[in-house]
Amino acid sequence: MVNRGIEQYLRCFVGETLRRWLDYLLWAEWSYNTAFHSTIGMTPFEAVYGRPPPTLRTYDPEASVVRMEKEMELADRDVVLWRLREHMTTNMNRMNQVYDRWHRELEFEVGVLVFVRAQPYRQVTLRPVRNPKLAHQYFGPFRELE
């Protein structure tokens, strides 16, 4: 799951410059570690260090006293982070549109027979099978109680 998340961050960072993915790997890792994870209720940074992650300040050329190379690096960083936010927002909107297109709320009347779809490789209590990948995906019929 972590690799899939890092891949998604890299896709958003890299955009059209696919060959430069290694340049953005540290930013992808930082983004993953400082993003809120609903499973643990905090960021991975906070889970490891016990405090919220530090925030990045935007680059201000007037307030800076670093050398020219660092100034260019900081300016590039702000552009990359802006592009990341833009790509993430676009991707999130696209995923929401796809979900909304196919999702529908189902309501059943009490007493109706229904089939239940369970992932056989995750739900082993319904029926143990030798090859769960090829097993039936629907179980039932079960009578709707409430």
Side-chain angles (χ1 to χ4, degrees), residues 47-67:
V48 171
Y49 297 108
R51 61 182 172 85
T55 57
L56 290 177
R57 296 185 303 172
T58 57
Y59 172 63
D60 182 13
E62 284 83 34
S64 179
V65 291
V66 293
R67 294 182 302 169

Side-chain angles (χ1 to χ4, degrees), residues 15-121:
E16 301 82 31
T17 56
L18 295 175
R19 293 180 183 258
R20 293 190 56 208
W21 69 270
L22 191 57
D23 297 339
Y24 299 111
L25 188 58
L26 291 175
W27 285 112
E29 179 187 8
W30 180 84
S31 298
Y32 180 84
N33 286 332
T34 58
F36 181 82
H37 290 230
S38 59
T39 305
I40 60 175
M42 63 182 72
T43 66
F45 184 94
E46 195 172 355
V48 171
Y49 297 108
R51 61 182 172 85
T55 57
L56 290 177
R57 296 185 303 172
T58 57
Y59 172 63
D60 182 13
E62 284 83 34
S64 179
V65 291
V66 293
R67 294 182 302 169
M68 186 61 126
E69 301 93 40
K70 280 292 185 190
E71 289 183 13
M72 294 301 290
E73 187 178 312
L74 290 172
D76 288 345
R77 181 200 70 182
D78 285 349
V79 170
V80 166
L81 291 177
W82 178 82
R83 281 181 46 214
L84 173 69
R85 275 189 228 103
E86 185 178 274
H87 285 292
M88 294 289 282
T89 303
T90 303
N91 193 27
M92 191 181 319
N93 289 336
R94 184 179 55 79
M95 289 178 3
N96 285 338
Q97 288 173 354
V98 169
Y99 176 80
D100 291 342
R101 186 180 315 141
W102 300 108
H103 180 74
R104 63 175 194 232
E105 291 292 329
L106 298 176
E107 293 185 19
F108 299 100
E109 296 177 15
V110 176
V112 174
L113 293 175
V114 295
F115 282 92
V116 176
R117 182 172 188 209
Q119 300 293 342
Y121 54 87

Side-chain angles (χ1 to χ4, degrees), residues 125-143:
T125 59
L126 291 176
R127 185 183 315 154
V129 291
R130 291 184 74 120
N131 190 351
K133 194 172 210 172
L134 303 176
H136 295 287
Q137 292 185 355
Y138 294 91
F139 298 93
F142 297 106
R143 191 166 302 282

